[in-house]
Amino acid sequence: MSAVLRKPKTFKLRSLHSEKKFGVAGRSCEEVLRKGCQHLQLPIPGSRLCLYEDGTELTGDYFRSAPDNSELVLLTADQTWQGFVSDISRFLSVFQEPHAGVIQAARQLLSDEKAPLRQKLLADLLGTVSENITAETRAEDPPWFEGLESRFRSKSGYLRYSCESRIRSYLREVTSGASLVGAEAREEYLRLVGSMQQKLQAAQYNSSYFDRGAKAGRRLCTPEGWFSCQGPFDVDDCISRHSINPYSNRESRVLFSTWNLDHVIEKKRAVVPALAAAVHDAEGREVDWEYFYRLLFTLENLKLVHIACHKKTTHKLHCDPSRVYCAPAAPRRKRPARQCP
């Protein structure tokens, strides 16, 4: 039993599933709990009071030091409260399966809202709850395809094309690197690039990286189409937790085009010049074009990054000299000469 105070303390009280608050005053924790249960018509046995802010249970020992007008949540025996986290979780759950009423209410608020910040929050909210992520075809989500050629009939098909276009542009840059070598080595350089192109064609230019329907090891997104920024080239992760789902709506599709497939070891400053130098200095050695292929076109050296995480400074990273050339073939062991009888 907690000590009874001479002067009652006041609190703002509400139940777990209600936003409506009411004032309660009491000289002890038990008195506040009893009045709260009576007002909310809840059973006293098993019920308890928690601070709205962080979920701390209000006990007799804490009652004395609790500030006046603290906000409390009254919980029954089977209920829990973790503070602000619980409210945020409930808020987010609304948008996982948005009800038509939520969308209508948000649209009404937006039409009457004048404050720029609240306008932006409401517009972002509407954009989120109006997403049609599961839709895949043009017939299922016509707005998503606005501005695209009629040949694109599925979201995955367009995003595969988008990824392929990026990889093809890298190949064109590598091909133009032939100008970095002399005429005598240019044919060999282009032969190696041709081998890379054949491998890319067989892999469909790694277009599966943007395809949510591809196997887990071949895509950069979740099965629902969510992409997460992998952070700048010099860190392991994105501290801003950037994410996007270009499958969700037209605006996200357009914004996704600003995300970059960034080369950790830079393509123009490091990889292409290293390839040209390897061809020029080969002196009979065989250039390991597959090593360069992985650096130029695969996730071994590519990171998907939000535009804000795309650092355009010099990376100061270089190709591994020990991997530029293929290891020389081991000489065959000679059989011992047969002895004459």
Side-chain angles (χ1 to χ4, degrees):
M1 178 72 69
S2 62
V4 178
L5 302 179
R6 292 183 178 179
K7 181 181 178 182
K9 297 178 76 72
T10 57
F11 298 94
K12 295 177 181 177
L13 190 62
R14 68 181 176 97
S15 64
L16 179 63
H17 299 299
S18 173
E19 300 297 324
K20 190 173 182 179
K21 293 175 279 190
F22 60 94
V24 176
R27 293 182 173 84
S28 69
C29 184
E30 290 82 0
E31 183 181 355
V32 173
L33 179 63
R34 185 182 72 254
K35 288 182 176 179
C37 288
Q38 288 174 348
H39 183 91
L40 295 170
Q41 297 183 344
L42 295 174
I44 296 177
S47 294
R48 62 199 187 283
L49 299 168
C50 292
L51 288 179
Y52 168 76
E53 183 176 349
D54 60 8
T56 300
E57 186 170 345
L58 188 69
T59 61
D61 293 336
Y62 185 68
F63 184 80
R64 282 179 175 273
S65 58
D68 274 339
N69 294 313
S70 294
E71 188 170 340
L72 303 178
V73 180
L74 199 162
L75 304 174
T76 56
D78 58 343
Q79 294 176 332
T80 59
W81 180 256
Q82 297 176 305
F84 293 142
V85 173
S86 296
D87 250 1
I88 294 172
S89 178
R90 289 170 58 197
F91 175 79
L92 292 175
S93 67
V94 172
F95 305 115
Q96 289 180 336
E97 295 182 7
H99 190 274
V102 174
I103 298 174
Q104 184 178 354
R107 284 176 177 160
Q108 181 61 46
L109 285 171
L110 182 59
S111 66
D112 299 332
E113 186 56 60
K114 303 300 181 185
L117 176 58
R118 288 171 64 89
Q119 282 181 340
K120 182 183 186 304
L121 292 173
L122 285 167
D124 288 346
L125 185 153
L126 267 174
T128 299
V129 299
S130 301
E131 291 172 346
N132 196 358
I133 292 177
T134 58
E136 176 64 22
T137 67
R138 185 182 285 267
E140 293 171 328
D141 191 0
W144 192 93
F145 292 85
E146 288 180 9
L148 298 182
E149 298 175 25
S150 59
R151 63 190 174 103
F152 297 113
R153 299 184 178 181
S154 70
K155 295 179 179 180
S156 295
Y158 173 76
L159 284 161
R160 288 184 71 96
Y161 166 80
S162 174
C163 186
E164 179 178 332
S165 297
R166 299 189 191 208
I167 299 297
R168 283 182 179 273
S169 71
Y170 301 161
L171 180 62
R172 287 193 294 271
E173 292 180 50
V174 179
T175 303
S176 66
S179 61
L180 300 176
V181 299
E184 68 283 355
R186 194 164 299 158
E187 182 179 348
E188 175 62 11
Y189 181 95
L190 292 174
R191 185 187 70 82
L192 296 177
V193 174
S195 296
M196 296 184 197
Q197 183 175 10
Q198 289 180 4
K199 185 161 186 170
L200 279 174
Q201 289 172 339
Q204 297 181 319
Y205 290 87
N206 293 331
S207 57
S208 63
Y209 291 163
F210 290 178
D211 182 2
R212 64 180 176 181
K215 292 182 179 179
R218 295 291 302 164
R219 54 178 158 81
L220 282 166
C221 60
T222 67
E224 295 76 28
W226 285 100
F227 291 82
S228 297
C229 175
Q230 296 175 316
F233 73 92
D234 53 353
V235 299
D236 293 331
D237 202 359
C238 172
I239 60 172
S240 300
R241 296 293 185 263
H242 294 124
S243 64
I244 191 170
N245 191 331
Y247 289 85
S248 60
N249 54 43
R250 179 180 177 275
E251 183 176 352
S252 294
R253 166 175 66 77
V254 174
L255 287 174
F256 186 61
S257 65
T258 67
W259 285 48
N260 291 275
L261 276 174
D262 190 27
H263 289 83
V264 178
I265 303 175
E266 294 172 282
K267 175 177 76 269
K268 284 186 176 180
R269 290 192 178 109
V271 184
V272 172
L275 175 60
V279 173
H280 180 270
D281 302 333
E283 297 180 348
R285 292 173 292 182
E286 184 179 353
V287 176
D288 189 352
W289 63 266
E290 292 194 82
Y291 168 63
F292 289 100
Y293 171 91
R294 292 192 296 273
L295 293 182
L296 290 163
F297 307 116
T298 76
L299 301 181
E300 183 174 316
N301 190 48
L302 290 172
K303 294 184 78 174
L304 181 69
V305 295
H306 183 278
I307 189 171
C309 289
H310 186 210
K311 295 182 179 180
K312 295 188 177 181
T313 56
T314 304
H315 294 190
K316 297 181 180 179
L317 298 172
H318 306 283
C319 299
D320 184 350
S322 67
R323 301 177 68 182
V324 166
Y325 297 105
C326 296
R332 291 184 178 181
R333 294 181 59 186
K334 294 183 178 179
R335 294 181 180 180
R338 293 179 61 190
Q339 294 182 349
C340 297

